Amino acid sequence: MLQVNILRQERDRVLEGLRKRQLDAAPAVDRIIGLDDRRKELQSETENLLAERNSLSKEIGDLFKNGKKDEANAKRQRVSDIKEQTGPLETELETVKGELEEELLQLPNVPYHLVPAGATPDDNEVYRPYDGELPRLAAGAKPHWELADTYGIFDLELGVRTTGSGFPVFTGQGARLQRALVNFFLDRNTAAGYTEYAPPLLVNEDTARATGQLPDKEGQMYYVQADDLYLIPTAEVPLTNLYRGELLEPAQLPVKMTGYTPCFRREAGSYGAHVRGLNRVHQFDKVEIVQLALPEESYTKLDEMVDHVAGLLTELELPFRILRLCGGDMGFTSAMTFDFEVWSAAQERWLEVSSVSNFETYQSNRLKLRYRTERGTELLHTLNGSALALPRIIAALLENKQTDAGILLPEVLHAYFGKEKLQPLRS
RNA sequence: GGAGGAAUGGCAGAGUGGUUGAAUGCACCGGUCUUGAAAACCGACGUACCGCAAGGUACCGGGGGUUCGAAUCCCUCUUCCUCCGCCA
């Protein structure tokens, strides 16, 4: 959520930034400022009356003590009058505050100055191209959903039986590979200074709202009605919220967290050839990294996170490129996002495997996540990234590493998986 | 799920209707003393919002109510603790 003061003080910069999202925010911004003006007006008026009430109440107390009952009763009448006035004022104040918040929630984050303008993924900037020859597979190379059958990696039919479409069941060495990857990622992340957490997979409404999933992505989350809880779409949500409402000392920063969780996404309306196999599923495993950083350091930290994720992909020996998302393709809450895409030689397309973003103060404003400065308190910057999402990594490993002799695993996984390659099932 | 108890500032912990935003201790910060440190002593020490400022308002788990006035009384919700039951 953007801060009203920023909208007031930097109106032009905000509007210009939001235009990169193909959004003309001028009417909304003006409505917000108008509501905030009204809010201040009502608040001053109300508080003046309350101040009078408070001082009268004190006098009444003294008068009663001194036995001056008549004088006290006269003042009591005045206080009653004040109450009659403040009632409607306070009601209106609450209404205006609600409307103000409603408007603010509709406004996405302002893109960072380096973010390219644009409407669709075609406008994304190739920030770091793949510097090599894209691998070519022998004729007859299979996509991962066919390899999954041959090698017994995962089974979509079983998921349909237990749950429904888009819930893969990982089996045998596929399940083992998944576990190996989770461990590999967590080890690398903790070695890089991220503290490991195993957070809840269900969160309450306040939590979902604070990181911006509500109201923007309401329909994308699974909702447990009986207990009013949401299944997390990413570990970002519980991890970032661990610090909701905190006031940190600069010495505590940056806070670096990592966590492995399943992620749940309804993905309503996503069907077609590009969502076959593991390309898009309702439940998947992901290891996430999160940082809480000083504003002046957050973009350095973003670079650090990008390099870290790039290191993981390099170790996995997967050809990848990094995109800087254009305004129109960026998430609602992000100020700048880098997407990592792995090349799938069998599908001959790029698969997104990680998204690394700086949210600046957009989340921390809702989180009330601040740090102490000489002058007072300031909002922190929050950042997060996938390190990494499992299904498409598995898809890419299967497809790119297939040989006549089996699927060769990258060397770094040998210690985690126990074997050098995946073996076909005996049929 | 049943019964009882509790929720106060960074922590501990007073406070049951009227100068209580809140005693006291600890921690933290500034200072005195000291070659330095410790100890001792002195001082400062919550957050948000409104206001140019002076100052004001709100907040003692959340919400609502009683009252001229609520941390303090009432209702309700949540969470934690103890005991019982059930259970991975």
Side-chain angles (χ1 to χ4, degrees), chain A residues 187-385:
Chain A
D187 282 353
R188 288 296 185 274
N189 295 347
T190 51
Y194 295 89
T195 303
E196 184 176 345
Y197 289 85
L201 307 182
L202 285 85
V203 295
N204 57 35
E205 184 181 331
D206 286 345
T207 293
R209 195 167 286 275
T211 32
Q213 277 67 34
L214 292 177
D216 182 48
K217 290 185 178 154
E218 175 138 35
Q220 285 287 3
M221 285 190 291
Y222 287 97
Y223 174 61
V224 182
Q225 194 164 21
D227 296 289
D228 196 18
L229 295 171
Y230 296 86
L231 274 71
I232 59 170
T234 160
E236 160 199 347
V237 177
L239 288 181
T240 310
N241 270 280
L242 294 177
Y243 281 84
R244 188 167 83 227
E246 295 275 327
L247 176 55
L248 301 178
E249 299 297 331
Q252 296 175 262
L253 299 165
V255 172
K256 298 170 76 175
M257 298 175 275
T258 187
Y260 150 69
T261 68
C263 301
F264 305 91
R265 299 185 183 181
R266 296 186 60 227
E267 304 288 4
S270 302
Y271 300 100
H274 278 183
V275 301
R276 289 196 66 177
L278 295 179
N279 286 351
R280 175 155 295 156
V281 289
H282 290 308
Q283 177 183 329
F284 63 95
D285 283 8
K286 180 159 63 67
V287 177
E288 185 80 357
I289 51 177
V290 173
Q291 287 211 34
L292 315 178
L294 294 168
E296 61 267 31
E297 292 179 353
S298 70
Y299 280 96
T300 309
K301 301 300 178 192
L302 184 64
D303 289 343
E304 180 190 298
M305 291 166 75
V306 165
D307 288 342
H308 178 72
V309 172
L312 296 176
L313 289 170
T314 302
E315 283 198 90
L316 289 174
E317 302 167 18
L318 292 170
F320 70 95
R321 66 177 188 179
I322 305 175
L323 303 179
R324 183 179 354 233
L325 297 192
C326 72
D329 199 30
M330 231 171 29
F332 192 80
T333 53
S334 176
M336 183 153 81
T337 295
F338 292 101
D339 267 11
F340 286 69
E341 293 185 332
V342 164
W343 178 251
S344 161
Q347 295 183 63
E348 293 190 314
R349 56 185 283 239
W350 293 99
L351 300 176
E352 183 194 332
V353 292
S354 176
S355 196
V356 181
S357 305
N358 187 352
F359 302 89
E360 298 186 359
T361 60
Y362 195 88
Q363 292 183 325
S364 58
N365 188 30
R366 294 236 49 134
L367 289 158
K368 298 205 175 3
L369 169 54
R370 297 155 301 153
Y371 70 103
R372 207 178 283 284
T373 69
E374 300 81 15
R375 298 181 309 283
T377 67
E378 300 282 346
L379 293 174
L380 278 168
H381 283 194
T382 61
L383 306 93
N384 65 53

Side-chain angles (χ1 to χ4, degrees), chain A residues 62-127:
Chain A
D62 291 340
L63 288 171
F64 270 123
K65 267 186 205 162
N66 299 325
K68 298 182 179 170
K69 232 178 158 186
D70 294 345
E71 280 182 57
N73 283 328
K75 288 182 193 273
R76 277 166 71 169
Q77 183 54 48
R78 171 62 189 146
V79 175
S80 293
D81 294 346
I82 288 173
K83 271 179 87 174
E84 273 175 39
Q85 289 177 63
T86 52
L89 278 176
E90 284 176 328
T91 306
E92 191 182 350
L93 182 58
E94 287 312 307
T95 306
V96 169
K97 278 182 175 174
E99 287 170 9
L100 180 60
E101 174 146 324
E102 214 44 51
E103 288 275 0
L104 281 168
L105 285 172
Q106 303 300 322
L107 221 48
N109 202 355
V110 180
Y112 189 52
H113 73 271
L114 294 175
V115 171
T120 70
D122 295 333
D123 300 318
N124 292 337
E125 168 196 338
V126 179
Y127 175 72

Side-chain angles (χ1 to χ4, degrees), chain A residues 40-56:
Chain A
K40 289 184 182 189
E41 212 178 301
L42 286 165
Q43 185 172 331
S44 295
E45 206 176 331
T46 308
E47 288 183 354
N48 285 338
L49 287 168
L50 290 177
E52 189 182 350
R53 183 203 65 184
N54 286 344
S55 71
L56 281 172

Side-chain angles (χ1 to χ4, degrees), chain A residues 128-134 319-321 350:
Chain A
R128 201 181 295 176
Y130 177 60
D131 62 346
E133 196 94 348
L134 286 176
F320 70 95
R321 66 177 188 179
W350 293 99

